[in-house]
């Protein structure tokens, strides 16, 4: 195991946990401020928990037998002293396999039977239904047992050809597949649809998650993989074989499933050892490798720096035997370096950036708030100091001035209550644009448009309608939110300029990410529709499945947009109300104190002592906040 890789992943995990702790500390701090920011505290708890659970997903994609599984073995599991995941000539891995670690459950291989493909539930949904899965316990201490159990990933079973066609597992029209039909009318199909391996490996425990996929365009048959899992992986390793170079089917899978997506992807020319030739000089061999790499970069339209040449098999052998020279020759180190020094840091920085961006806005708000509260108490103290030793008339004067201020404040506050009522109504309207009912209507009409003709044209029409209507709703919700924000801004400015409340800043409602997601799905659909393989009549089933997969993904984006809007509404309205109420309370207390001082001038000293204590406590909280802020930049 490369030291770099383990260290980088451990460092990534440690920083992630530290950041999560800083967020939790900050949430606790906010909670102590009289719980005035319940919504923000909740949001922070959410962010911290998703940080703790964050997984760095690396997917391995290729035509069959390019060596994906062997490379995974070499990169991550060589310390087992043997080949952990089954890798062999011909088709080996039969179903997409996700390797990860979850400490809450015992190590285990879970397999989803292929028959579930008849059903309309998404993979994500089925993952939450343990009853659907077959489980095999894994014993990490026993490599033999592990290896035996993991052989299940290669299992196949016979299935009636009609069923296989319906499930998109066999295409009788394809001459290259026709010979698979047996005399008894069955074909051999994968036994499992999807597998997960929960395994306590240090890299997996640190948050790495690996996706091994089967070749033979099995990806296309599982829309969720092409629409969401692969595009959302942080890095995709695309494998090719050095001896064959980029074949037609390699290029097809690359264009269909990898290159279009914006995530980080590299091409790995595997089996470089096949060029090692004792009758050729090293420099001749090197020149051939270079040529193949140049050619691959050109055909795949990738920068040359994103193409690697390795021998997964020799790397595995070298690691198992501790052969340093062979290991260097295998080229595996350049891939390990890439993972350790580019993929992982890129993910770490992105996560940091996103979290800091979100938290900084809140931290700024808290700092401004804190300064304002200290200033308020200091002003209070100054006034009390000025009054001490003075006569009652002066105190009475101060009380009258304060009363006037309070009356004026009450007027602004009641004016705001009317604004708030109006905003609440607008907020409900906004949520209606994104409601479940709206969504159902959109989905239903999209489906109707599609059902009308089960051709790709019908599908495009249906999905275009789905996407356009959803985007339209997001747009309307955003416009409404912008209008609300203008009204809010005016109201806050009034509090700021007239009553010296700290300037309150409400972020804009940003639904861009969800709109982008819908547009991304739209692009996937266009590609699906243009693909001649999907035009055949027998593919109706596939088209239906694709539409179902798409609707699930689109629905997900739309639901997330609604949650975001709900959250935004609470952030826009609730904390402000609390602050306004808090300021009113503050004015009331001060007024009350002045009244009490008027009744008995002797209480002035006590009051001063209390305000001093208050200032002391506030300064401590401020120091604590500074400490928390420092944790974020550490
Ligand atoms: N010579 C050589 N053979 C390799 C290398 N890597 C893998 N192989 C062999 O190629 C065959 C296929 O490897 P796998 O790892 O099963 O390929 P895969 O891409 O996972 O294939 P599927 O699971 O069928 O999609 C196996 O027999 C491996 O031993 C390599 O670097 N050099
Ligand atoms: Mg494999």
């Amino acid at each position: 195991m490369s030291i770099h890789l383990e260290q980088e992943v451990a460092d990534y995990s440690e920083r992630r946990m530290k950041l999560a702790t800083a967020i939790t500390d900050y949430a606790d701090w906010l909670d102590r401020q009289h719980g005035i920011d319940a919504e923000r505290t909740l949001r922070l708890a959410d962010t911290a928990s998703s940080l703790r659970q964050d997984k760095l997903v690396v997917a391995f994609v290729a035509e069959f037998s390019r060596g994906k599984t062997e490379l995974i073995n070499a990169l991550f599991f060589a310390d087992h002293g043997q080949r952990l995941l089954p890798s062999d000539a011909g088709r080996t891995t039969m179903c997409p396999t996700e390797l990860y670690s979850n400490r809450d459950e015992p190590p285990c291989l879970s397999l989803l039977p292929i028959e579930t493909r008849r059903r309309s539930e998404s993979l994500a949904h089925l993952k939450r239904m343990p009853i659907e899965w077959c489980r095999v316990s894994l014993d990490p201490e026993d490599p033999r047992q592990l290896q035996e159990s993991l052989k299940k990933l290669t299992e196949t079973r016979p299935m009636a050809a009609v069923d296989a066609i319906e499930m998109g597992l066999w295409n009788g029209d394809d001459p290259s597949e026709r010979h698979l039909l047996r005399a008894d009318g069955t074909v051999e199909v994968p036994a499992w649809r999807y597998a997960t391996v929960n395994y306590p490996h240090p890299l997996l425990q640190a948050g790495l998650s690996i996706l091994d996929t089967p070749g033979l365009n099995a990806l296309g048959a599982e829309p969720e993989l092409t629409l969401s899992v692969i595009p959302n992986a942080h890095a995709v390793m695309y494998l090719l074989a050095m001896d064959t170079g980029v074949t037609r089917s390699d290029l097809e899978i690359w264009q269909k499933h990898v290159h279009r997506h914006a995530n980080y992807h590299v091409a790995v020319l595997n089996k470089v050892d096949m060029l090692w030739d004792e009758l050729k000089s090293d420099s001749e061999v090197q020149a051939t490798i270079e040529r193949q790499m140049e050619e691959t970069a050109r055909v795949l339209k990738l920068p040359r720096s994103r193409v690697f040449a390795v021998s997964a098999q020799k790397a595995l052998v070298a690691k198992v035997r501790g052969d340093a020279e062979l290991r260097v020759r295998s080229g595996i180190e350049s891939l390990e370096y890439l993972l350790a020094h580019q993929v992982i840091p890129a993910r770490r920085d992105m996560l940091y950036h996103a979290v800091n961006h979100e938290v900084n806005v809140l931290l700024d708000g808290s700092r401004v708030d804190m300064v304002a509260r200290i200033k308020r108490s200091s002003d209070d103290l100054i006034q009390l100091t000025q009054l001490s030793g003075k006569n009652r008339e002066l105190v009475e004067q101060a009380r009258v001035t304060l009363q006037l201020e309070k009356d004026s404040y009450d007027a602004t506050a009641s004016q705001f209550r009317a604004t708030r009522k109006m905003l609440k109504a607008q907020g409900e309207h906004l949520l209606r644009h994104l409601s479940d009912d709206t969504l159902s209507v959109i989905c239903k009409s999209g489906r109707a448009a599609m059902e009308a003709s089960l051709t790709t044209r019908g599908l495009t029409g249906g999905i275009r309608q789905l996407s356009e209507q959803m985007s339209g709703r997001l747009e309307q919700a955003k416009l409404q939110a912008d209008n609300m924000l203008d009204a809010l801004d005016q109201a806050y400015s009034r509090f700021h300029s007239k009553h010296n409340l700290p300037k309150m800043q409400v972020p804009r409602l940003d639904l861009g990410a969800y709109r982008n997601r819908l547009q991304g799905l739209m692009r996937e659909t266009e590609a699906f529709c243009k693909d001649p393989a999907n035009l055949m009549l027998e593919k109706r089933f596939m088209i239906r499945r694709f539409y179902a997969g798409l609707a699930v993904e689109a629905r997900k984006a739309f639901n997330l947009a609604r949650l975001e809007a709900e959250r935004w509404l609470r952030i826009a309205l609730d904390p402000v109300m609390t602050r306004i109420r808090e300021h009113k309370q503050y004015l009331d207390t001060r007024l009350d104190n002045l009244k009490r001082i008027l009744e008995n001038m002797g209480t002035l000293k006590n009051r001063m002592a209390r305000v001093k204590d208050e200032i002391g406590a506030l300064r401590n909280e401020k120091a604590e906040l500074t400490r928390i802020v420092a944790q974020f930049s550490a």
Side-chain angles (χ1 to χ4, degrees), residues 423-439:
L423 288 173
K424 271 222 131 119
Q426 289 184 354
E428 276 161 25
H429 195 208
L430 184 159
L431 287 181
R432 265 204 298 279
H433 283 307
L434 305 172
S435 76
D436 231 9
D437 290 347
T438 306
L439 186 62

Side-chain angles (χ1 to χ4, degrees), residues 63-70 83 86-93 212-215 270-274 310-314:
E63 183 51 291
F64 76 106
S65 210
R66 297 295 184 258
K68 297 174 291 282
T69 308
E70 190 80 326
R83 198 169 263 128
S87 129
D88 212 334
R91 278 187 80 184
T92 312
T93 312
D212 188 8
T213 59
N270 188 30
K271 310 195 185 183
V272 66
D273 57 293
M274 290 178 115
V310 303
S311 166
Q313 193 193 58
K314 297 295 178 235

Side-chain angles (χ1 to χ4, degrees), residues 106-141:
C108 141
L109 164 69
S110 306
L111 300 148
L112 186 65
I114 194 79
E115 290 75 13
T116 56
R117 278 182 65 151
R118 280 182 192 285
R119 304 187 6 198
S120 56
E121 291 108 322
S122 65
L123 273 177
H125 182 81
L126 288 165
K127 275 188 188 168
R128 291 192 298 269
M129 300 171 70
I131 195 154
E132 303 290 347
W133 299 69
C134 298
R135 273 163 205 278
V136 182
S137 292
L138 297 177
D139 179 1
E141 302 303 322

